[in-house]
Amino acid sequence: MYFFNEDGTAMNPKNNSNFIKLENIYFNVTGADGVGKDSVLKNILELLTGYKTFREPGGTEEAEVIRKIILCISDVERESYFKHAKTFNLLPLTKDYINKAYEIFKVSGSLNQADDKTVGLMEAYLYAASRNETNNKLVTPLLEEGLTVIGSRSVACSMAYQANGRNLGYELVWNINKPALTKTPDFEIYLDIPTELAMDRLSGRTGKQDRLDNESFEFHRKTREGYLDYYEKYCPYPVYKIDASGTIEENTQKVLDVLNKYRQN
């Protein structure tokens, strides 16, 4: 049993023997915006040892710039980030993804005025680009070193946001991403809550919101539907679905219950 502070954050174990050491595995934690994924993951990481973690999009220097392309609101900034991304020594597939995304962006005139499918197609190529860099330059090498690798988000997000939320369709987005999935997780933990609760939580955020936070209720409803469809119909690896409608500490404990199946100590 692990204990939590009044704000729901995890108390650090008092000695090294109380930290959880997992097997040499790779897993992701996913969930729609507003589910509390980042808070739960922060708690989990404070209780683990012998791991490396990354966020998606992101994880490598190249992927972090790709993240900025996706999430920034200004078209001027997006143009600048595209140019920055092209200065890196990118993997050939990554370069192809970015070039396709940039072409879509330029044809649109302004992404802020573009329709959902145009935005979604650009996003799909960029997420796949980030995924390709991370899988090949981060995840695989770390696993070969014997570490546990923990990702925040996964291809499930592309199937939720771009395939269903942006109406691109599952087959198109899955086919874009398949070449980038050079390493799939041993399992995934999906945190799920009703869209109404997710929107309530998003409206209460006091920090800076990004472009995806500002989407409509219907968009967020469809992303949740997309997650559930992906895990039922496409997902090639095991998934643990967790009801995350409880408190941060309750949800953290549910995730710990899953991880205890894979602990070494």
Side-chain angles (χ1 to χ4, degrees):
M1 174 66 71
Y2 289 88
F3 299 94
F4 301 89
N5 301 306
E6 290 185 1
D7 62 357
T9 58
M11 290 183 179
N12 282 320
K14 293 182 178 180
N15 58 66
N16 289 339
S17 65
N18 288 331
F19 281 97
I20 299 173
K21 183 172 178 57
L22 300 176
E23 299 169 6
N24 176 212
I25 55 173
Y26 164 38
F27 70 93
N28 297 312
V29 180
T30 68
D33 290 304
V35 77
K37 171 182 58 62
D38 291 341
S39 297
V40 170
L41 186 55
K42 179 177 181 292
N43 277 350
I44 294 299
L45 297 181
E46 290 180 353
L47 302 173
L48 299 180
T49 186
Y51 70 88
K52 292 290 185 181
T53 185
F54 70 95
R55 63 181 181 179
E56 190 183 274
T60 66
E61 186 178 5
E62 300 91 340
E64 288 295 331
V65 174
I66 295 169
R67 178 185 184 88
K68 292 177 180 178
I69 299 173
I70 296 170
L71 296 179
C72 72
I73 296 174
S74 164
D75 285 330
V76 174
E77 289 184 348
R78 187 168 291 108
E79 175 78 34
S80 175
Y81 290 136
F82 264 117
K83 289 181 179 178
H84 187 187
K86 292 181 180 182
T87 66
F88 289 112
N89 183 25
L90 300 169
L91 296 169
L93 179 59
T94 305
K95 187 179 296 185
D96 182 54
Y97 283 141
I98 289 178
N99 286 338
K100 287 177 178 177
Y102 184 68
E103 182 179 351
I104 293 166
F105 167 58
K106 295 304 290 183
V107 170
S108 75
S110 170
L111 204 66
N112 294 322
Q113 304 299 321
D115 60 44
D116 265 359
K117 285 193 174 182
T118 299
V119 174
L121 191 57
M122 185 202 76
E123 290 175 343
Y125 282 119
L126 290 172
Y127 278 108
S130 172
R131 208 161 279 136
N132 189 59
E133 288 291 304
T134 303
N135 278 334
N136 287 284
K137 295 182 179 179
L138 183 74
V139 176
T140 298
L142 289 174
L143 288 172
E144 290 173 351
E145 291 178 23
L147 294 172
T148 294
V149 181
I150 305 167
S152 175
R153 297 189 179 275
S154 73
V155 67
C157 305
S158 288
M159 297 293 277
Y161 286 83
Q162 285 75 50
N164 209 47
R166 301 289 190 202
N167 301 305
L168 290 183
Y170 297 122
E171 290 298 324
L172 173 59
V173 173
W174 184 241
N175 287 332
I176 287 173
N177 277 276
K178 276 197 297 186
L181 301 180
T182 55
K183 179 59 184 174
T184 54
D186 294 284
F187 63 91
E188 197 150 281
I189 296 173
Y190 167 61
L191 304 178
D192 182 56
I193 59 173
T195 305
E196 292 82 0
L197 178 56
M199 295 299 286
D200 284 344
R201 290 179 178 178
L202 285 175
S203 66
R205 280 186 178 175
T206 56
K208 182 180 178 181
Q209 293 192 336
D210 61 39
R211 187 168 54 84
L212 295 178
D213 287 338
N214 294 326
E215 291 287 353
S216 67
F217 174 87
E218 178 61 12
F219 176 82
H220 287 286
R221 184 196 67 77
K222 290 182 70 176
T223 60
R224 182 192 182 215
E225 180 181 71
Y227 275 114
L228 297 174
D229 283 347
Y230 167 70
Y231 288 125
E232 180 181 350
K233 301 173 184 176
Y234 289 88
C235 185
Y237 45 80
V239 59
Y240 295 93
K241 179 184 173 185
I242 289 178
D243 177 1
S245 57
T247 63
I248 294 173
E249 52 265 39
E250 288 171 342
N251 297 335
T252 299
Q253 188 60 55
K254 290 178 182 178
V255 174
L256 285 173
D257 290 342
V258 172
L259 297 184
N260 278 328
K261 304 175 190 290
Y262 302 91
R263 67 185 298 168
Q264 287 186 328
N265 57 348

